[in-house]
């Protein structure tokens, strides 16, 4: 006979609008048997009372609706980011605050590789770099050749849309002045005018390098160690369900996912999204592949999402923006997928019954997606499709109204308000558009289902920090970007639980603490509803519960 455990907590924030709070939750067979007080739950029969959370707050397990498993795998490589960052072992890795400091760090890494006997042709790989913090100075081969003129060097930007390489890597990849691939940036003047300067933007250009070094952790590291590191980070942040929003779903990738998630200590549910852009497969074959993969779904692994992509990165100047374009005069960005091709492929996946999430950053790209989806839905109506625009950072009120009429959802990249808010105000968008960046309040007012996300490893995994960004909209320089776009703490908590579950079509299983759903909890030492808006990000995570199994957030 199944046993019942009743957990008592200082308070339980259920996110169930019919029963907002409680003191006890009963769990049986990994599911929620009941929510209420002890007298009510005792009527289910014999039980064990577990008091370990008596001084804690329980919430539904937090849901990261847009991230990537490489958040765990990237830590095999060197971190070159501006901000301090927590690694999977609970250690703080210091950020680098100047271009010169970055170069010196690379020199040091190369020296250590030589001293340890690494072959001279082994690439030096690093991640997290973003030149926008250095006053607009861009990294070129001149910087990286100082670190090494013999060892190939590949630096992935924080946004995942750009990379820098040294002259050695350019030679290996056969990237020279005659190449005409979009995204290969060239010197604009001087004696090397027309020659590649080492910056590569978006998949077509980056592929020229990746085909020689492999993904090697830079783009989509699928190994069991990285998966377990991700799970460790997830429980430290209260996350019980997360996406891997770019995955080729190759047999090797799926084998890693299935092996890792079969282990009890891998304490997270994963929804990998099939990479349906840049020629991964033809759309017809891709749709057949994803539908076939759904037969292998388990409690902790759910195939069925499709990821499409239109443009690039705002701070990388590869996003597609409507008039008047970039505030600093940079040319418009790159169509990662041509809008006409996007519409044709989208319709194939849509007609196959699949759930599609589309990357758009600039407002021109978001508008192109909305236009295409409107035409597809007119030709092939489908109720409750829940197709979702991801990032959608520059969507305005008229676009949100159209999205609501089409049944579209949005998952806004609220972390941008902190990590790049000042840069958007000063360099990429200008003040007016920066004030409506990631317009959560407008989305809700228009009736668009809302989730918010980190896009880890672009920014660190941490839904409570993401919620803090959406509630406060504060930048590092103290600006408040769009005070009227602030949302309340309860609205932000909904966006990282039940709102995110809705965009993933899992709201019937997760996202709230109510009868019949999975016993997935975020265990907090503080109540986020009483901490206050300013301190929301400081709520301390004790650990998680996944399907009734308890995972303290202890670090080595």
């Amino acid at each position: 006979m199944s046993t019942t455990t009743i957990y008592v907590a200082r308070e339980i924030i259920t996110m169930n609008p019919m029963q907002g709070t409680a003191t006890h939750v009963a769990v049986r067979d990994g599911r929620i048997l009941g929510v209420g007080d002890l007298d009510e739950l005792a009527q289910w029969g014999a039980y064990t009372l577990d008091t370990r959370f008596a001084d804690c707050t329980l919430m539904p397990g937090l849901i990261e609706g847009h991230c990537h498993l490489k958040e765990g795998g990237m830590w095999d490589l060197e971190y070159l980011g501006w901000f301090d960052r927590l690694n999977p072992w609970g250690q703080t890795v210091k950020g680098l605050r100047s271009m010169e400091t970055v170069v010196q760090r690379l020199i040091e890494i190369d020296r250590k590789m030589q001293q340890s006997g690494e072959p001279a042709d082994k690439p030096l790989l690093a991640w997290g770099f973003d030149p926008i913090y250095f006053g607009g100075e861009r990294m070129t081969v001149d910087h990286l050749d100082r670190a090494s003129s013999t060892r190939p060097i590949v630096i992935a930007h924080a946004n995942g849309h750009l990379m820098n390489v040294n002259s050695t890597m350019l030679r290996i990849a056969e990237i020279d002045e005659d190449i005409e691939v979009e995204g290969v940036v060239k010197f604009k003047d001087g004696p090397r005018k027309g020659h590649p300067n080492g910056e590569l933007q978006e998949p077509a250009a980056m592929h020229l390098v990746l085909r020689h070094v492999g993904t090697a952790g830079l783009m989509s590291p699928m190994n069991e160690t990285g998966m377990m590191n991700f799970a460790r980070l997830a429980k430290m942040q209260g996350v019980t369900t997360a996406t891997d929003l770019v995955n080729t779903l190759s047999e090797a990738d799926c084998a890693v996912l299935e092996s890792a998630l079969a282990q009890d200590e891998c304490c997270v549910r994963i929804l990998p999204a099939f990479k349906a852009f840049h020629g991964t497969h033809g759309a017809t074959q891709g749709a057949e592949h994803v539908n076939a993969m759904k037969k292998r779904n388990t409690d902790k692994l759910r195939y069925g999402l499709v990821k499409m992509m239109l443009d690039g990165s705002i701070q990388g100047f590869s996003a597609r923006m409507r008039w008047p374009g970039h505030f600093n005069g940079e040319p418009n960005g790159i169509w990662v997928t041509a809008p006409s091709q996007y519409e044709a492929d989208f319709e194939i996946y849509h007609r196959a019954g699949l759930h599609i999430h589309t990357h758009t950053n600039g407002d021109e790209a978001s508008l192109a997606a909305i236009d295409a989806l409107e035409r597809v839905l007119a030709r092939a109506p489908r109720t409750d499709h829940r197709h979702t625009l991801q990032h959608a950072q520059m969507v305005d009120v008229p676009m949100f109204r159209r999205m609501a009429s089409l049944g579209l959802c949005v998952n806004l990249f609220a972390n941008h308000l902190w990590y790049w808010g000042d840069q958007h105000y000063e360099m990429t968008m200008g003040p007016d558009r920066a004030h409506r960046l990631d317009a959560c309040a407008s989305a809700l007012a228009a009736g668009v289902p809302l989730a918010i996300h980190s896009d880890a490893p672009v920014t660190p995994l941490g839904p409570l920090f993401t919620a803090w960004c959406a509630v406060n909209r504060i930048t590092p320089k103290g600006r408040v970007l769009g005070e009227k776009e602030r949302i309340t703490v309860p609205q932000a908590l909904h966006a990282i639980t039940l709102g995110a579950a809705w965009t993933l079509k899992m709201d019937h299983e997760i996202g709230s603490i109510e009868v019949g759903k999975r016993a997935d909890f975020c265990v907090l030492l503080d109540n986020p509803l009483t901490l206050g808006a300013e301190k929301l990000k400081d709520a301390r995570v004790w650990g998680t519960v996944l399907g009734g199994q308890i995972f303290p957030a202890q670090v080595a």
Side-chain angles (χ1 to χ4, degrees):
M1 181 177 177
S2 298
T3 59
T4 299
T5 300
I6 297 178
Y7 296 99
V8 58
R10 185 175 59 214
E11 55 271 306
I12 299 173
I13 304 170
T14 69
M15 303 309 298
N16 174 6
M18 300 297 104
Q19 183 187 19
T21 60
T23 57
H24 294 72
V25 57
V27 175
R28 180 189 293 174
D29 297 330
R31 293 183 178 270
I32 297 167
L33 181 64
V35 185
D37 61 33
L38 185 58
D39 289 341
E40 292 171 326
L41 299 184
Q43 297 179 51
W44 282 102
Y47 64 87
T48 299
L49 182 65
D50 192 318
T51 62
R52 77 183 78 190
F53 304 141
D55 294 324
C56 297
T57 296
L58 295 186
M59 281 186 61
L62 305 184
I63 300 170
E64 178 50 88
H66 188 140
C67 68
H68 306 271
L69 293 182
K70 61 184 179 180
E71 168 77 344
M74 297 294 266
W75 292 101
D76 289 340
L77 311 177
E78 299 290 341
Y79 174 65
L80 301 179
W82 171 271
F83 291 94
D84 296 350
R85 187 125 177 187
L86 196 68
N87 70 19
W89 305 278
Q91 302 160 335
T92 298
V93 181
K94 301 296 290 184
L96 306 177
R97 297 302 179 93
S98 71
M99 189 76 78
E100 182 60 27
T101 306
V102 171
V103 173
Q104 291 301 318
R105 178 71 179 123
L106 291 170
I107 291 171
E108 176 187 342
I109 297 166
D110 178 65
R111 184 183 303 117
K112 288 181 178 179
M113 292 178 73
Q114 294 180 48
Q115 292 172 348
S116 63
E118 297 282 9
D121 60 350
K122 181 176 181 178
L124 189 166
L125 306 176
W127 67 285
F129 173 74
D130 194 334
I132 203 167
Y133 298 117
F134 304 142
E137 180 185 5
R138 307 296 291 186
M139 177 178 277
T140 71
V141 290
D142 294 335
H143 296 96
L144 294 185
D145 288 351
R146 287 176 55 201
S148 177
S149 59
T150 56
R151 183 186 304 282
I153 298 177
V154 183
I155 310 299
H157 285 217
N159 55 47
H161 290 262
L162 287 80
M163 65 172 51
N164 280 90
V165 301
N166 65 347
S167 296
T168 301
M169 190 67 247
L170 287 176
R171 288 193 295 272
I172 292 171
E174 299 181 331
I175 301 172
D176 58 24
E177 65 271 24
D178 295 323
I179 201 162
E180 295 298 334
V181 174
E182 185 177 23
V184 175
V185 181
K186 299 180 179 181
F187 287 107
K188 296 179 180 179
D189 48 38
R192 290 176 291 177
K193 181 179 179 180
H195 289 253
N197 71 4
E199 182 175 305
L200 306 173
Q201 301 179 352
E202 300 303 332
M206 294 192 294
H207 175 71
L208 301 171
V209 166
L210 293 175
R211 65 185 177 181
H212 293 280
V213 301
T215 57
L218 285 168
M219 300 306 292
S220 184
M222 290 303 303
N223 61 67
E224 200 158 306
T225 298
M227 181 68 243
M228 299 306 289
N229 282 345
F230 181 89
R232 188 177 291 112
L233 284 166
K235 71 178 178 180
M236 289 164 57
Q237 300 298 336
V239 173
T240 54
T241 298
T243 54
D244 183 30
L245 222 57
V246 172
N247 198 305
T248 62
L249 296 192
S250 69
E251 195 56 42
D253 288 343
C254 294
V256 169
L257 285 169
E258 292 166 9
S259 174
L261 289 165
Q263 302 176 44
D264 286 344
E265 61 268 31
C266 194
C267 51
V268 64
R269 306 187 195 280
I270 298 295
L271 288 81
F274 177 66
K275 178 185 175 183
F277 57 91
H278 202 62
T280 305
H281 286 282
T284 300
Q285 293 76 22
E288 292 171 353
H289 178 57
V290 178
N291 272 321
M293 293 303 299
K294 289 163 68 175
K295 299 174 184 176
R296 293 161 63 168
N297 283 351
T298 67
D299 286 350
K300 290 166 64 178
L301 178 60
R302 300 296 177 89
Y303 300 111
L305 287 182
V306 172
K307 168 75 176 292
M308 301 190 73
M309 194 166 178
L310 272 167
D311 68 339
S313 160
I314 299 172
Q315 71 275 20
F317 300 101
S318 59
R320 294 292 305 193
M321 296 170 67
R322 292 186 295 180
W323 184 91
H326 289 100
F327 189 53
N328 67 350
E330 285 287 323
N332 210 347
I334 292 172
W335 289 113
V336 175
T337 305
S340 58
Q341 187 65 55
Y342 167 79
E343 181 174 339
D345 289 352
F346 189 101
E347 185 163 352
I348 291 171
Y349 289 107
H350 170 78
R351 288 182 180 274
L354 293 168
H355 187 193
I356 306 161
H357 287 223
T358 299
H359 165 115
T360 70
N361 261 316
D363 48 3
E364 185 183 15
S366 294
L367 184 60
I370 294 167
D371 286 344
L373 272 54
E374 186 173 53
R375 291 188 290 268
V376 169
L377 290 169
R379 294 191 294 265
R382 195 174 112 199
T383 60
D384 198 31
H385 54 77
R386 303 196 207 177
H387 298 317
T388 300
L389 296 192
Q390 292 282 351
H391 305 328
Q393 297 196 77
M394 299 182 71
V395 170
D396 59 16
V397 170
M399 283 193 276
F400 278 130
R401 289 173 179 157
R402 290 182 63 194
M403 289 175 65
S405 72
L406 294 169
L408 299 177
C409 307
V410 72
N411 191 347
L412 294 175
F413 196 171
N415 281 20
H416 257 255
L417 293 158
W418 173 260
Y419 283 97
W420 290 283
D422 288 315
Q423 286 71 34
H424 292 321
Y425 185 97
E426 298 168 1
M427 298 175 64
T428 68
M429 299 179 190
D432 184 82
R433 289 177 295 174
H435 280 300
R436 63 172 171 82
L437 176 71
D438 293 301
C440 296
S442 289
L444 291 176
V448 178
L450 172 70
I452 52 179
H453 66 271
S454 69
D455 198 13
V458 176
T459 68
L461 185 73
L464 288 168
F465 180 86
T466 302
W468 175 86
C469 290
V471 168
N472 293 281
R473 299 184 64 88
I474 294 174
T475 74
K477 291 184 178 180
R479 292 187 175 101
V480 175
L481 290 182
E483 184 175 0
K484 298 297 184 182
E485 291 294 349
R486 285 172 162 173
I487 58 176
T488 66
V489 171
Q491 287 171 329
L493 296 181
H494 186 276
I496 59 174
T497 53
L498 203 50
W502 177 268
T503 68
L504 299 175
K505 286 194 170 182
M506 289 192 69
D507 55 300
H508 60 297
E509 292 187 66
I510 58 174
S512 60
I513 299 177
E514 54 184 304
V515 177
K517 291 194 175 184
R518 298 187 180 277
D520 293 359
F521 311 135
C522 168
V523 185
L524 297 167
L525 297 176
D526 307 291
N527 184 337
L529 292 176
T530 60
L531 270 180
E534 297 82 6
K535 296 183 179 180
L536 180 57
K537 64 180 175 60
D538 301 320
R540 296 168 295 167
V541 177
W542 181 93
T544 59
V545 179
L546 185 78
Q549 186 174 354
I550 296 169
F551 296 94
Q554 298 170 342
V555 296

